[in-house]
Amino acid sequence: MKDEGRSLNFIEHIIEDDLLAGFPKSSLRFRFPPEPNGYLHIGHASSICLNFGLGERYGAPVNLRFDDTNPAKEEKEFVEAIKKDVAWLGYHWDSECYASDYFQQLYDWAVMLIRQGKAYVDSQTSEQMAEQKGTPTEPGTNSPFRNRNVAENLALFEAMKQGEFAEGTHVLRAKIDMAASNMLMRDPIMYRILHRPHHRTNTDWCIYPMYDWTHGESDYIEQVTHSLCTLEFAPHRELYDWFLDQVVTEGRIRPKQREFARRNLSHTIVSKRKLLHLVEQGVVNGWDDPRMPTISGLRRRGFTPESIRNFADTIGIAKRENVVDVSLLEFHIREHLNKIAPRVMAVLDPVKLVITNYPEGEEEWLEAENNPEDPGAGNRQVPFSGTLYIEREDFREEANRKFFRLKLGGEVRLKNGYIIKAVSCSKDTDGNITEIQCTYDPKSKSGSGSEESLRKVKGTLHWVSVPHALKAEVRLYDRLFNDETPDGHKGRDFMEFINPDSLQQLEGYIEPSLKDAQAGQGFQFQRLGYFNVDKDSTADRLVFNRTVTLRDTWAKIEQRR
Ligand code: ATP
Ligand code: MG
């Protein structure tokens, strides 16, 4: 197993204790339970890796359960996107389950509770019910409908189901205790009326079960043993157990809810509702915008499943909430791409360089290594000529000794090519450099084995040959928010912290070997960063997303290397 040797997390300790107490390992079962009301984000990746990771560790099945009880917000598009993302992360679910498949069973159990005097139809407004809720220190007040008789409750509940009432006129409530210290136990709502078609059950139902009533019972139906959720559900555990008490029968497994801390990532937000807002407001171009912390956004940006899994494994799970710096995620993608990404040359801010002693009209194809980290990656041929583009910032007329790039009178090596020396440069009327004139040393060709080829010069520059280069659109991304915790400021809206400069689009030149690159392929543009072909690419114009720069500017991570 990949993580052998790592110490157990607290959820694994709970499971180990259960196994020690005699619980059969072969009965373990987990689930990942997204609500299909948006796209999965990096926070969900933690939950996915936790649940499916447990499945791998214990050889236990893991269900993908759609918690689809709110037709007002849920759509098939989201179901499909979630399945795609979980599969892309590399996990296989045992069963694809839907809470909506249990609507009839849940209804039958609700009828059973009514018959037992444990549930009643309340016909007050939501405002009235809220007023009776009490406070954490004061008990609530019983509803005037609390003592409706069973026959009346059954008739009303049936009529609710038959669509005879308008939304908001009646609800079904569990009859627990209006004085309970846990306010969630004060006669919680089990069903509400919603005249909305559901993406799976269409108009079969117009009453929909609430989360608390649905979740534990769904776990029970599926015989999930450990139902892991985030900390905000800790106070719900008592209710989860109460609802289970009503239905659990001898010989069947009783699921157990346990909570872990939500994972937050710095400089972004992990809430489907807020991400939806960014999409709807046009701050980003859809759920898979490469700036989004969604799984689909990260994929489009060029992240690999391995990098996300390694990130989730590294941060592990915790009992307390905290914010994980986004640099840690970037560290993991950099590590993975360093191993697998082919190296190519691209110039993003070009200035022309002419080699005055290179034979006019000639070209040659230079041998270039695809990936020095991967001996199996082989070589390719890169065209060279007397007219090149280099990065504008790689040349200065004058510079001090610490500038290891090209300056007048100075030498550099052209990657995979020759040593050149800058002789002069031309400028436009504004003083901008328009062309650099150089000479080259024909004997200094890399890999030729000559004495000159082994001569050391301080700088090596990347370049592309002007007559061979392809134009490409390149999209550079910065953090979507200027603040570390955009939704962590009381009284301030996360939208206030949007970084207006999170996207920079430019036109660059790339070597011709990239001509047939396909959407989703990743490369290292040497000395610049990792880039991924975007789905907006066409046959004659490639579009690249910068996945991440080569170096981390975040000091702490640097120290860890
Ligand atoms: P959101 O607020 O983004 O909609 P959610 O918790 O409502 O999140 P669900 O679709 O209900 O989203 O979540 C599916 C599972 O993923 C749940 O078990 C939930 O606890 C877990 N989860 C959601 N967000 C995070 C997060 N940031 N860190 C860890 N687990 C998460
Ligand atoms: Mg939710």
Side-chain angles (χ1 to χ4, degrees), residues 313-423:
D313 284 348
T314 304
I315 62 176
I317 57 158
K319 291 185 181 178
R320 270 179 224 291
E321 269 202 43
N322 69 348
V323 178
V324 179
D325 201 289
V326 67
S327 307
L328 188 62
L329 180 60
E330 291 168 354
F331 168 83
H332 282 284
I333 186 60
R334 213 177 263 124
E335 267 224 322
H336 191 215
L337 290 179
N338 181 43
K339 290 188 197 126
I340 63 164
R343 274 57 171 167
V344 293
M345 291 196 283
V347 174
L348 302 187
D349 183 17
V351 62
K352 196 181 267 185
L353 182 150
V354 174
I355 302 173
T356 53
N357 61 336
Y358 194 79
E360 178 125 18
E362 209 162 285
E363 62 166 42
E364 60 188 301
W365 290 76
L366 304 174
E367 199 73 7
E369 223 180 341
N370 284 332
N371 186 352
E373 301 287 321
D374 175 7
N379 286 0
R380 72 187 184 290
Q381 307 269 303
V382 187
F384 184 81
S385 71
T387 322
L388 312 174
Y389 286 126
I390 63 164
E391 296 295 339
R392 188 165 284 280
E393 65 163 26
D394 281 341
F395 175 74
R396 283 191 208 157
E397 285 178 88
E398 283 174 59
N400 66 23
R401 286 185 299 131
K402 288 192 183 134
F403 185 74
F404 295 135
R405 294 178 260 174
L406 190 61
K407 58 190 169 195
L408 288 181
E411 283 185 323
V412 291
R413 176 172 291 283
L414 293 172
K415 183 91 193 152
N416 307 312
Y418 299 93
I419 294 174
I420 56 167
K421 181 176 193 167
V423 178

Side-chain angles (χ1 to χ4, degrees), residues 4-104:
E4 224 165 336
R6 125 177 118 65
S7 57
L8 298 184
N9 64 44
F10 75 95
I11 296 285
E12 287 158 351
H13 276 296
I14 291 170
I15 296 168
E16 294 291 330
D17 287 347
D18 288 340
L19 296 178
L20 276 178
F23 189 86
K25 191 173 161 199
S26 58
S27 296
L28 289 175
R29 181 182 285 271
F30 307 95
R31 92 285 174 262
F32 171 64
E35 182 181 356
N37 62 348
Y39 282 58
L40 297 181
H41 50 64
I42 187 72
H44 291 111
S46 277
S47 176
I48 294 169
C49 293
L50 170 64
N51 285 294
F52 284 93
L54 289 170
E56 284 173 0
R57 170 176 282 265
Y58 294 104
V62 185
N63 289 350
L64 175 60
R65 154 127 43 86
F66 290 98
D67 228 327
D68 56 346
T69 54
N70 185 359
K73 290 189 183 156
E74 296 158 5
E75 288 170 32
K76 190 160 181 350
E77 174 202 343
F78 298 137
V79 169
E80 295 308 321
I82 288 169
K83 283 166 64 177
K84 180 174 172 180
D85 288 349
V86 175
W88 178 75
L89 282 172
Y91 294 113
H92 307 283
W93 51 87
D94 183 61
S95 308
E96 179 180 328
C97 305
Y98 293 84
S100 56
D101 284 349
Y102 314 138
F103 282 171
Q104 185 62 46

Side-chain angles (χ1 to χ4, degrees), residues 183-245:
M183 291 187 55
L184 293 166
M185 301 298 283
R186 295 182 187 173
D187 292 9
I189 295 174
M190 295 171 66
Y191 276 93
R192 73 257 199 241
I193 300 169
L194 277 178
H195 291 283
R196 302 260 192 149
H198 183 280
H199 65 102
R200 295 187 81 244
T201 59
N202 202 358
T203 51
D204 290 355
W205 296 87
C206 61
I207 53 170
Y208 289 95
M210 301 299 287
Y211 173 89
D212 285 313
W213 170 235
T214 311
H215 204 88
E217 318 308 274
S218 302
D219 288 337
Y220 178 64
I221 292 168
E222 292 171 20
Q223 291 287 279
V224 165
T225 54
H226 296 80
S227 177
L228 310 172
C229 60
T230 34
L231 277 183
E232 70 273 21
F233 291 101
H236 295 245
R237 199 204 281 182
E238 193 181 351
L239 182 54
Y240 179 98
D241 285 333
W242 191 90
F243 280 139
L244 282 182
D245 286 342

Side-chain angles (χ1 to χ4, degrees), residues 271-320:
S271 150
K272 280 183 261 153
R273 182 176 58 79
K274 290 174 183 168
L275 294 174
L276 174 65
H277 190 70
L278 294 177
V279 173
E280 285 176 344
Q281 294 297 305
V283 174
V284 294
N285 302 314
W287 285 97
D288 70 345
D289 185 298
R291 291 166 291 179
M292 290 280 269
T294 50
I295 304 298
S296 50
L298 292 167
R299 173 169 61 232
R300 186 169 169 195
R301 175 123 169 204
F303 280 72
T304 58
E306 290 86 342
S307 66
I308 295 173
R309 289 170 70 150
N310 288 340
F311 167 75
D313 284 348
T314 304
I315 62 176
I317 57 158
K319 291 185 181 178
R320 270 179 224 291

Side-chain angles (χ1 to χ4, degrees), residues 451-463:
E451 204 176 303
E452 291 84 350
S453 76
L454 300 171
R455 185 154 72 83
K456 288 264 178 283
V457 289
K458 274 270 158 40
T460 300
L461 304 188
H462 64 276
W463 50 274

